[in-house]
Amino acid sequence: MPELPEVETTKRGLAPHLEGRRVKQCEIRQHSLRWPVDADFAEKIQGARIQHLDRRAKYLLVQTDKGMAIWHLGMSGSLRMVDGNLPPQKHDHIDWLLDSGKRLRFHDPRRFGALLWTTEDIAGHDLIAHLGPEPLSDDFHGDYLFNASRSRKAPVKSFIMDGRIVVGVGNIYASEALFMAGIRPQTPAGKITRARYERLVEAIKTVLAAAIEQGGTTLKDFVGGDGKPGYFAQQLNAYGRAGLPCPRCPGTIREQIIGQRNTFFCPRCQR
């Protein structure tokens, strides 16, 4: 599943091609996505000028002079710029034809992605209002995470993956950040000290920033907005390495299901 770094990479890749452009036509070949695309969406966005792109959690926000389009890539979705005359292939569900002659094309084999439209304040939108702080913002710090965790019995990995606590720390990056911070993912969130949460916050910021810098994580089918894959998967220390030597100590990486998600950790150096 594309996580926060992949969505941020997509935003940065698409922004130079979209900002300032007008949507001449919207072609929707498949309305049945995670949520049905509005029957009149194409009419709403036709003629709109794209003002800027933003991201909130894993949502890509496209502000226009007529309203805002909200994209979610789902489990297998990608947004790419293609030539205006390139015919759609299987699973190419939506095109925006721009006044530049290029197309913004949405590809989603599993159809768990989404495209929504709003003219209201995005901060109050049902998908946005309940979300926690952005992990790379100043609002996310050790004191915040420590205070939010008091009396929490859930494993710390599940805690930091809760979007109401902090957004965008998906399964891969949660495992990697906990490994970097030396914290065992099964530990109840309420049992972790303030000092250890400070290390965990620093690790989350470091891991996510590195992933964004390197273009996101390529696992199966994520492709960035410029059509180039990310390369962060080559530098994963824990995720997907069950049975391999720990890169930090003489231990061996283990795998365990936590919160119905595959979790990777070193039982020797993560305490």
Side-chain angles (χ1 to χ4, degrees):
M1 173 183 286
E3 298 190 15
L4 183 150
E6 285 80 11
V7 181
E8 180 67 21
T9 297
T10 295
K11 185 201 80 171
R12 295 183 184 188
L14 293 178
H17 303 281
L18 295 183
E19 291 178 347
R21 293 297 180 182
R22 192 175 295 279
V23 181
K24 293 179 62 177
Q25 184 179 2
C26 175
E27 300 173 4
I28 302 175
R29 292 176 285 274
Q30 175 59 263
H31 284 260
S32 298
L33 301 178
R34 180 178 182 182
W35 300 292
V37 181
D38 289 347
D40 59 350
F41 182 94
E43 179 181 347
K44 289 176 179 176
I45 201 168
Q46 184 172 347
R49 185 171 296 280
I50 299 170
Q51 297 172 328
H52 65 267
L53 271 65
D54 203 352
R55 179 194 54 75
R56 181 70 170 104
K58 299 179 185 178
Y59 296 101
L60 182 67
L61 310 177
V62 184
Q63 181 66 59
T64 79
D65 58 1
K66 296 177 68 175
M68 178 177 287
I70 306 171
W71 286 98
H72 194 286
L73 300 180
M75 296 184 68
S76 60
S78 63
L79 284 163
R80 297 179 61 184
M81 299 304 305
V82 300
D83 290 336
N85 59 0
L86 184 68
Q89 303 298 313
K90 185 177 182 181
H91 307 308
D92 288 345
H93 302 314
I94 300 173
D95 279 4
W96 290 2
L97 178 62
L98 306 176
D99 58 3
S100 64
K102 298 285 188 178
R103 292 177 182 268
L104 173 64
R105 176 159 291 172
F106 180 61
H107 177 85
D108 188 6
R110 300 181 188 176
R111 290 195 287 162
F112 288 152
L115 176 59
L116 305 172
W117 179 262
T118 184
T119 57
E120 305 297 326
D121 181 5
I122 191 63
H125 193 279
D126 289 345
L127 296 176
I128 303 295
H130 68 284
L131 295 176
E134 290 285 329
L136 297 177
S137 72
D138 292 338
D139 294 329
F140 183 59
H141 47 74
D143 285 343
Y144 163 77
L145 209 53
F146 175 79
N147 292 332
S149 69
R150 296 307 86 190
S151 302
R152 298 281 187 133
K153 297 180 180 179
V156 64
K157 179 168 180 279
S158 300
F159 176 67
I160 63 173
M161 289 181 62
D162 185 342
R164 296 166 296 182
I165 301 299
V166 57
V167 300
V169 185
N171 193 40
I172 299 170
Y173 302 110
S175 286
E176 289 297 298
L178 287 163
F179 177 83
M180 181 179 291
I183 298 173
R184 191 169 293 198
Q186 302 92 331
T187 306
K191 298 288 188 180
I192 296 175
T193 65
R194 188 186 304 269
R196 300 190 84 198
Y197 270 125
E198 289 175 356
R199 291 203 301 271
L200 180 55
V201 166
E202 182 179 355
I204 289 171
K205 291 177 181 284
T206 298
V207 167
L208 291 176
I212 292 169
E213 179 67 23
Q214 297 183 46
T217 299
T218 297
L219 293 178
K220 291 183 179 179
D221 42 20
F222 172 76
V223 178
D226 59 359
K228 298 177 182 179
Y231 297 101
F232 188 66
Q234 298 176 9
Q235 297 189 16
L236 297 176
N237 289 306
Y239 188 88
R241 301 187 73 250
L244 296 176
C246 174
R248 186 167 55 195
C249 79
T252 300
I253 301 296
R254 291 185 185 175
E255 180 177 3
Q256 180 179 332
I257 302 297
I258 298 178
Q260 300 182 328
R261 305 300 298 273
N262 295 76
T263 302
F264 301 86
F265 66 101
C266 175
R268 180 164 179 163
C269 65
Q270 287 178 255
R271 302 290 181 179

